Amino acid sequence: MSSHSLQGVERIQHLVRAQRQPQQKPFWRRLLALASPSQRSWHGGLKLRGYKELSNAEPIAPVAVGQVQLAIPLGRGRRSAQPCVQPGQLVRKGEVIGIGDDNTPWVHASTSGIVEQIGLVFAADSAEPVMAVILNADGLDEWIERPVMEAPQTLEALVQRALQMGIVGLGGAGFPTALKLAGAQQPDLLLINGAECEPFLTCDDRLMRERAEALIEAADYLADLLGITLTRFGIETNKPEAMAALRAASRQARTPVEICPLPTRYPAGGQPLMIKSLSGRNLAPGTLPAEIGVLALNVATLHALGRAVFHAEPLISRVLTLTGVCERPGNVEVPVGYPVSALRAVAGADPEGQLTQVGGPMMGQPLPDPTAVISKTTSCLIFGAERYLPASQSSGSCIRCTRCVDVCPMSLRPLDLYAAAERHDKASLQALRLDACIECGSCSSTCPSHLPLRERFRQSKTELRP
């Protein structure tokens, strides 16, 4: 490991030690940690057709790499690792190909092969090109020799393991898991988000059904290490098989982990809403879950962390939903950097002439480029999405019907926010709590004037950043 990387890890360890000083937890927090979940309600939301049945019937299938060319993203923006390989170099599966600083997860080869070049590519869920290691797979899929490593016994060691194994949030945001763990301030509640409230997505559902024992093991380990008194999985009620599998695994492990139903209402998986439903605690705008005693992880992130802890396995693949207009919809475990064009053939989708939506229809986006590759945060590909998405329509003027207010899960007033955004009135945007918007798109989907509310709010957030 380079001296620069060691210094970065040492800075994270210092942060952990500083935040883990013993202190008495507030009475209200200790009381809530012992309370049973009561399905605390939240305002608004939408009942959407799920289309889950298109892809959730079959087990997760592995995708064979073969001799395809992979383009493994090194990160995004300021959280990009620096390549540590050269063109012509032979690398093996799991080998480090990008080293990050103390804020950036490392990147590893998804298979064995020869480095072609370091260059810009499109990741499927990124609108801008990202730097990547382009690798010509040799078809052998040969692992690097991995030393036997015990599970970390301290938070500092776990933070270091998560960073070096490249673990990031797989629910969409991609936030480094090492930083989330390092920032944990004596949490008493571990919440695992298995809501998967977006239509079409079923990758988390299948993961919970098929790898429930591993998820319970990882949750128990994390709770024991951090001294967390209560662990809850939040799962929408339209996933009874997942809930049953996790309850069975919990009973087998004799663990007090609670499996809690969430309402089948979009966006139940939004972090503030999930936290409120399962704990009654309110996550104020600009507040981190750690500040209210909560450590929240997506189920896929928890699974990846468990693989890193117990098997010293870096994050080099993910479970991905293939759905929409295709012959073989389902869920596949695909190497990071795998081309979307090759996944079309796996799914039996039309190779061209169709819109491919990346992610769900509410918070996802169209595939940015035909040559795009799978990143760590790519969760779903909807082929032929034009069949399911509403047709584009020209927008009119706000008629102040307040439908957007009725459905906003954060109890905001989108019509007033939109008016302020159009005026570039920063003071009003702040007063109206634009920072509380979770960009779920509920307002846009119900607006009879077809105003681009979510897109405008995203733009305004960017304008407000210092």
Side-chain angles (χ1 to χ4, degrees):
M1 190 189 309
S2 69
S3 60
H4 174 73
S5 300
L6 281 171
Q7 291 170 3
V9 170
E10 289 169 358
R11 284 195 291 272
I12 286 185
Q13 292 173 343
H14 175 74
L15 174 64
V16 171
R17 287 191 291 270
Q19 292 182 332
R20 300 294 293 176
Q21 296 301 315
Q23 58 184 11
Q24 181 67 26
K25 296 174 185 175
F27 172 76
W28 66 267
R29 183 184 293 177
R30 287 181 278 128
L31 184 63
L32 276 173
L34 298 174
S36 59
S38 59
Q39 285 296 309
R40 283 91 170 176
S41 184
W42 41 270
H43 173 83
L46 298 170
K47 295 287 283 185
L48 301 173
R49 179 175 174 183
Y51 293 99
K52 307 284 190 179
E53 71 282 356
L54 295 179
S55 60
N56 68 357
E58 299 296 327
I60 298 167
V63 171
V65 180
Q67 294 183 321
V68 70
Q69 186 177 79
L70 304 184
I72 304 166
L74 289 167
R76 190 179 302 173
R78 58 188 176 88
R79 289 205 177 100
S80 294
Q82 294 300 310
C84 57
V85 292
Q86 301 293 328
Q89 182 176 338
L90 170 66
V91 296
R92 290 179 173 82
K93 185 176 181 178
E95 185 170 342
V96 176
I97 60 175
I99 297 179
D101 59 17
D102 54 320
N103 293 317
T104 306
W106 295 14
V107 179
H108 307 75
S110 306
T111 189
S112 56
I114 303 294
V115 176
E116 174 74 20
Q117 62 175 311
I118 314 296
L120 289 171
V121 301
F122 275 97
D125 51 359
S126 177
E128 300 293 332
V130 297
M131 195 62 70
V133 173
I134 299 172
L135 179 67
N136 292 323
D138 57 17
L140 301 177
D141 204 33
E142 183 180 5
W143 270 98
I144 190 174
E145 184 176 346
R146 289 180 289 170
V148 176
M149 301 174 69
E150 294 184 354
Q153 298 302 305
T154 65
L155 179 58
E156 292 92 336
L158 177 60
V159 167
Q160 181 175 343
R161 180 77 62 90
L163 188 73
Q164 295 182 355
M165 292 295 166
I167 311 301
V168 301
L170 298 180
F175 187 77
T177 303
L179 299 186
K180 180 174 283 191
L181 293 169
Q185 301 172 12
Q186 293 191 309
D188 55 26
L189 183 57
L190 174 61
L191 297 184
I192 309 302
N193 191 343
E196 197 169 49
C197 56
E198 271 265 33
F200 290 94
L201 275 68
T202 58
C203 50
D204 285 353
D205 182 11
R206 290 304 320 188
L207 191 68
M208 290 185 286
R209 293 197 211 183
E210 299 178 39
R211 303 177 189 177
E213 294 84 0
L215 288 168
I216 294 296
E217 181 185 30
D220 278 346
Y221 160 80
L222 200 53
D224 288 343
L225 186 69
L226 298 179
I228 293 174
T229 56
L230 185 59
T231 300
R232 288 173 175 158
F233 281 72
I235 307 170
E236 278 192 318
T237 54
N238 62 356
K239 302 174 184 62
E241 298 88 351
M243 285 192 281
L246 285 165
R247 286 190 176 118
S250 179
R251 287 194 300 269
Q252 180 69 26
R254 297 184 179 181
T255 176
V257 168
E258 297 181 10
I259 313 303
C260 306
L262 293 174
T264 304
R265 179 162 46 116
Y266 178 82
Q271 186 166 260
L273 310 176
M274 190 258 309
I275 290 175
K276 183 173 183 179
S277 292
L278 296 182
S279 72
R281 307 178 193 182
N282 290 315
L283 187 67
T287 302
L288 298 175
E291 296 176 50
I292 57 171
V294 174
L295 176 61
L297 297 174
N298 167 266
V299 289
T301 308
L302 179 66
H303 183 265
L305 186 61
R307 296 299 299 178
V309 164
F310 300 118
H311 305 279
E313 182 177 299
L315 179 51
I316 57 175
S317 66
R318 67 154 298 138
V319 179
L320 169 75
T321 300
L322 304 176
T323 188
V325 183
C326 56
E327 296 175 2
R328 294 178 293 277
N331 288 280
V332 294
E333 186 151 13
V334 58
V336 174
Y338 200 80
V340 171
S341 57
L343 284 174
R344 290 184 187 277
V346 171
D350 190 337
E352 54 187 44
Q354 292 182 325
L355 172 65
T356 299
Q357 178 83 351
V358 182
M362 299 299 290
M363 300 184 74
Q365 63 182 29
L367 186 72
D369 189 271
T371 64
V373 298
I374 299 304
S375 72
K376 292 179 181 181
T377 53
T378 309
S379 59
C380 180
L381 297 174
I382 307 173
F383 300 111
E386 62 269 25
R387 176 179 296 186
Y388 306 99
L389 300 179
S392 178
Q393 300 188 51
S394 57
S395 58
S397 301
C398 176
I399 60 174
R400 302 195 67 80
C401 64
T402 70
R403 292 184 191 178
C404 57
V405 178
D406 294 339
V407 300
C408 178
M410 300 304 294
S411 299
L412 304 178
R413 292 186 59 81
L415 73 170
D416 294 335
L417 280 166
Y418 186 77
E422 290 292 278
R423 299 193 309 268
H424 299 280
D425 185 346
K426 294 183 178 181
S428 293
L429 287 172
Q430 291 171 338
L432 290 165
R433 297 172 51 224
L434 176 63
D435 58 344
C437 172
I438 62 173
E439 301 178 19
C440 66
S442 297
C443 54
S444 299
S445 66
T446 57
C447 178
S449 297
H450 310 293
L451 295 174
L453 300 171
R454 184 184 63 176
E455 288 71 20
R456 191 67 184 87
F457 299 156
R458 282 179 175 171
Q459 180 182 346
S460 293
K461 284 183 179 181
T462 301
E463 295 170 355
L464 284 175
R465 292 191 188 110

